[in-house]
Structures are given as structure tokens and as C-alpha cells.
Amino acid sequence: MLRKTVLVFAALVVFAGATIVNHCDSEIPFEDSTQISVSDCDRPTCILKQGSTVSIQIKLVPNRNIESLINDVGAILFNVPLPFIGVDGTNACDNIYNTDGSKAGCPLKEGAEYIYKNSFPVLAFYPRVALIVRYSLREGNDKVICFEVPAKITK
């Protein structure tokens, strides 16, 4: 689980500020509030506007070699997990970069620094509700990193 996972360090300051996120299935925030950046979200609750695109950036330093990564992204709405269409289940290796900005892909080497960058659309048909976004990268059934952020979908 998280003890066996990748160490995550400060995200590049590309966005307006740090995003306050919790480890999955807990109320415990990440130790460094700048580990993960979500565009236009520097405090809870993140506002996700229908028809917009949300960008995410994470700096990773694996504590073991990682052969492959899958995006596991969804919303928890009324305690029901729902996938984010277009991101959930896709290859996360396509979104891994070296710190110089060049494409890294997989495999990831233990101890090397990488930057994960991705974005997802907030589709117009998503309901305007409060929810929890659960974002994880996994290798097989092992969650390499997993975080949750409270959000609200608006018009």
C-alpha cells in the first residue's frame, strides 16, 4: 500500500499554488502541501467547471523500479466510485517526463526524479455536485500513489 509506494516530492511551481490533498481513504494530508498541483486549485474545495480541462502535476521519485503505470481516476459521489471518462484506465507512462522536460515514459528507475503531467476534461454532462476526486497511479493492483481532493462541479 502507501508504505510500499513511490515517494512523492515537491511539484514544480507551474500552477498558482499548492493543492491541499489527502492520502486516499484517510483524512491525512500529504506531508508536503506542494507535492501535487491541480490547476486553479490552491485550496479545498476545487471548483471544476463544466466544459473546462483540469491539469495535474506530480513530482515522483520511485523507491523501486516500476515497469508500467495505469491512471486510476474517478469521482466518489454519494459513496459510489465513478470513473472519469477519458482518463481512467489509460496508460500513465505516456505522461511521465524527466525533470528537464523530455519524455521519459516507463520503466521508471528507483531513485530517479520524474514529473507526471496530465489533464482531464470536465464534461458538460457531468452533474453539478460536490464530490471527491480520487486520483491514483497503479502498477497492476499496487497503488503507487493515491490522493483525494474535495471538488465541486459547476456551470
PDB file of all heavy atoms in Angstrom, residues 89-104:
ATOM      1  N   GLY A  89      -8.098   4.285 -16.469  1.00  0.00           N
ATOM      2  CA  GLY A  89      -7.694   3.082 -17.188  1.00  0.00           C
ATOM      3  C   GLY A  89      -6.704   3.303 -18.309  1.00  0.00           C
ATOM      4  O   GLY A  89      -6.311   2.356 -18.990  1.00  0.00           O
ATOM      5  N   THR A  90      -6.268   4.551 -18.518  1.00  0.00           N
ATOM      6  CA  THR A  90      -5.318   4.822 -19.597  1.00  0.00           C
ATOM      7  C   THR A  90      -3.881   4.646 -19.113  1.00  0.00           C
ATOM      8  O   THR A  90      -3.603   4.615 -17.915  1.00  0.00           O
ATOM      9  CB  THR A  90      -5.505   6.242 -20.167  1.00  0.00           C
ATOM     10  OG1 THR A  90      -5.292   7.198 -19.125  1.00  0.00           O
ATOM     11  CG2 THR A  90      -6.897   6.422 -20.771  1.00  0.00           C
ATOM     12  N   ASN A  91      -2.969   4.570 -20.051  1.00  0.00           N
ATOM     13  CA  ASN A  91      -1.556   4.367 -19.774  1.00  0.00           C
ATOM     14  C   ASN A  91      -0.953   5.638 -19.177  1.00  0.00           C
ATOM     15  O   ASN A  91      -0.886   6.666 -19.848  1.00  0.00           O
ATOM     16  CB  ASN A  91      -0.854   3.989 -21.082  1.00  0.00           C
ATOM     17  CG  ASN A  91       0.614   3.693 -20.898  1.00  0.00           C
ATOM     18  OD1 ASN A  91       1.178   3.853 -19.828  1.00  0.00           O
ATOM     19  ND2 ASN A  91       1.239   3.261 -21.976  1.00  0.00           N
ATOM     20  N   ALA A  92      -0.492   5.581 -17.939  1.00  0.00           N
ATOM     21  CA  ALA A  92       0.114   6.744 -17.287  1.00  0.00           C
ATOM     22  C   ALA A  92       1.555   6.953 -17.736  1.00  0.00           C
ATOM     23  O   ALA A  92       2.085   8.057 -17.605  1.00  0.00           O
ATOM     24  CB  ALA A  92       0.054   6.587 -15.765  1.00  0.00           C
ATOM     25  N   CYS A  93       2.187   5.932 -18.300  1.00  0.00           N
ATOM     26  CA  CYS A  93       3.575   6.062 -18.762  1.00  0.00           C
ATOM     27  C   CYS A  93       3.702   7.142 -19.834  1.00  0.00           C
ATOM     28  O   CYS A  93       4.755   7.769 -19.962  1.00  0.00           O
ATOM     29  CB  CYS A  93       4.085   4.730 -19.306  1.00  0.00           C
ATOM     30  SG  CYS A  93       4.229   3.465 -18.035  1.00  0.00           S
ATOM     31  N   ASP A  94       2.636   7.354 -20.595  1.00  0.00           N
ATOM     32  CA  ASP A  94       2.641   8.393 -21.627  1.00  0.00           C
ATOM     33  C   ASP A  94       2.744   9.787 -21.034  1.00  0.00           C
ATOM     34  O   ASP A  94       2.996  10.751 -21.762  1.00  0.00           O
ATOM     35  CB  ASP A  94       1.361   8.314 -22.469  1.00  0.00           C
ATOM     36  CG  ASP A  94       1.259   7.037 -23.273  1.00  0.00           C
ATOM     37  OD1 ASP A  94       2.305   6.371 -23.491  1.00  0.00           O
ATOM     38  OD2 ASP A  94       0.142   6.682 -23.678  1.00  0.00           O
ATOM     39  N   ASN A  95       2.562   9.930 -19.729  1.00  0.00           N
ATOM     40  CA  ASN A  95       2.547  11.233 -19.065  1.00  0.00           C
ATOM     41  C   ASN A  95       3.713  11.422 -18.101  1.00  0.00           C
ATOM     42  O   ASN A  95       3.665  12.302 -17.244  1.00  0.00           O
ATOM     43  CB  ASN A  95       1.229  11.410 -18.305  1.00  0.00           C
ATOM     44  CG  ASN A  95       0.036  11.223 -19.211  1.00  0.00           C
ATOM     45  OD1 ASN A  95      -0.560  10.153 -19.235  1.00  0.00           O
ATOM     46  ND2 ASN A  95      -0.286  12.229 -19.993  1.00  0.00           N
ATOM     47  N   ILE A  96       4.757  10.612 -18.246  1.00  0.00           N
ATOM     48  CA  ILE A  96       5.928  10.702 -17.367  1.00  0.00           C
ATOM     49  C   ILE A  96       7.059  11.407 -18.108  1.00  0.00           C
ATOM     50  O   ILE A  96       7.408  11.033 -19.232  1.00  0.00           O
ATOM     51  CB  ILE A  96       6.394   9.301 -16.910  1.00  0.00           C
ATOM     52  CG1 ILE A  96       5.273   8.550 -16.194  1.00  0.00           C
ATOM     53  CG2 ILE A  96       7.651   9.400 -16.046  1.00  0.00           C
ATOM     54  CD1 ILE A  96       4.882   9.108 -14.844  1.00  0.00           C
ATOM     55  N   TYR A  97       7.631  12.426 -17.446  1.00  0.00           N
ATOM     56  CA  TYR A  97       8.694  13.235 -18.038  1.00  0.00           C
ATOM     57  C   TYR A  97       9.906  13.271 -17.118  1.00  0.00           C
ATOM     58  O   TYR A  97       9.788  13.110 -15.904  1.00  0.00           O
ATOM     59  CB  TYR A  97       8.205  14.671 -18.262  1.00  0.00           C
ATOM     60  CG  TYR A  97       7.084  14.739 -19.262  1.00  0.00           C
ATOM     61  CD1 TYR A  97       5.761  14.518 -18.865  1.00  0.00           C
ATOM     62  CD2 TYR A  97       7.338  15.007 -20.593  1.00  0.00           C
ATOM     63  CE1 TYR A  97       4.719  14.553 -19.785  1.00  0.00           C
ATOM     64  CE2 TYR A  97       6.303  15.046 -21.517  1.00  0.00           C
ATOM     65  CZ  TYR A  97       5.006  14.818 -21.108  1.00  0.00           C
ATOM     66  OH  TYR A  97       3.977  14.839 -22.016  1.00  0.00           O
ATOM     67  N   ASN A  98      11.073  13.519 -17.705  1.00  0.00           N
ATOM     68  CA  ASN A  98      12.276  13.789 -16.930  1.00  0.00           C
ATOM     69  C   ASN A  98      12.188  15.214 -16.412  1.00  0.00           C
ATOM     70  O   ASN A  98      11.392  16.020 -16.903  1.00  0.00           O
ATOM     71  CB  ASN A  98      13.520  13.613 -17.816  1.00  0.00           C
ATOM     72  CG  ASN A  98      13.708  12.176 -18.241  1.00  0.00           C
ATOM     73  OD1 ASN A  98      13.766  11.280 -17.412  1.00  0.00           O
ATOM     74  ND2 ASN A  98      13.781  11.954 -19.544  1.00  0.00           N
ATOM     75  N   THR A  99      13.022  15.553 -15.442  1.00  0.00           N
ATOM     76  CA  THR A  99      12.973  16.893 -14.859  1.00  0.00           C
ATOM     77  C   THR A  99      13.381  17.975 -15.854  1.00  0.00           C
ATOM     78  O   THR A  99      13.047  19.135 -15.660  1.00  0.00           O
ATOM     79  CB  THR A  99      13.846  16.991 -13.595  1.00  0.00           C
ATOM     80  OG1 THR A  99      15.180  16.599 -13.925  1.00  0.00           O
ATOM     81  CG2 THR A  99      13.305  16.107 -12.488  1.00  0.00           C
ATOM     82  N   ASP A 100      14.072  17.608 -16.937  1.00  0.00           N
ATOM     83  CA  ASP A 100      14.434  18.593 -17.967  1.00  0.00           C
ATOM     84  C   ASP A 100      13.303  18.808 -18.976  1.00  0.00           C
ATOM     85  O   ASP A 100      13.443  19.571 -19.925  1.00  0.00           O
ATOM     86  CB  ASP A 100      15.722  18.201 -18.676  1.00  0.00           C
ATOM     87  CG  ASP A 100      15.597  16.925 -19.519  1.00  0.00           C
ATOM     88  OD1 ASP A 100      14.477  16.349 -19.623  1.00  0.00           O
ATOM     89  OD2 ASP A 100      16.620  16.496 -20.073  1.00  0.00           O
ATOM     90  N   GLY A 101      12.165  18.119 -18.784  1.00  0.00           N
ATOM     91  CA  GLY A 101      11.012  18.272 -19.662  1.00  0.00           C
ATOM     92  C   GLY A 101      10.941  17.278 -20.803  1.00  0.00           C
ATOM     93  O   GLY A 101       9.950  17.220 -21.517  1.00  0.00           O
ATOM     94  N   SER A 102      11.987  16.476 -20.985  1.00  0.00           N
ATOM     95  CA  SER A 102      11.957  15.472 -22.048  1.00  0.00           C
ATOM     96  C   SER A 102      11.101  14.283 -21.631  1.00  0.00           C
ATOM     97  O   SER A 102      10.960  13.987 -20.444  1.00  0.00           O
ATOM     98  CB  SER A 102      13.378  15.015 -22.400  1.00  0.00           C
ATOM     99  OG  SER A 102      13.983  14.392 -21.275  1.00  0.00           O
ATOM    100  N   LYS A 103      10.525  13.605 -22.594  1.00  0.00           N
ATOM    101  CA  LYS A 103       9.648  12.458 -22.348  1.00  0.00           C
ATOM    102  C   LYS A 103      10.469  11.316 -21.733  1.00  0.00           C
ATOM    103  O   LYS A 103      11.538  10.988 -22.225  1.00  0.00           O
ATOM    104  CB  LYS A 103       9.031  12.026 -23.678  1.00  0.00           C
ATOM    105  CG  LYS A 103       7.901  11.078 -23.559  1.00  0.00           C
ATOM    106  CD  LYS A 103       6.625  11.844 -23.407  1.00  0.00           C
ATOM    107  CE  LYS A 103       5.459  10.966 -23.809  1.00  0.00           C
ATOM    108  NZ  LYS A 103       4.211  11.551 -23.492  1.00  0.00           N
ATOM    109  N   ALA A 104       9.966  10.729 -20.660  1.00  0.00           N
ATOM    110  CA  ALA A 104      10.664   9.620 -20.001  1.00  0.00           C
ATOM    111  C   ALA A 104       9.960   8.294 -20.269  1.00  0.00           C
ATOM    112  O   ALA A 104      10.591   7.302 -20.611  1.00  0.00           O
ATOM    113  CB  ALA A 104      10.765   9.856 -18.502  1.00  0.00           C
TER     114      ALA A 104
END
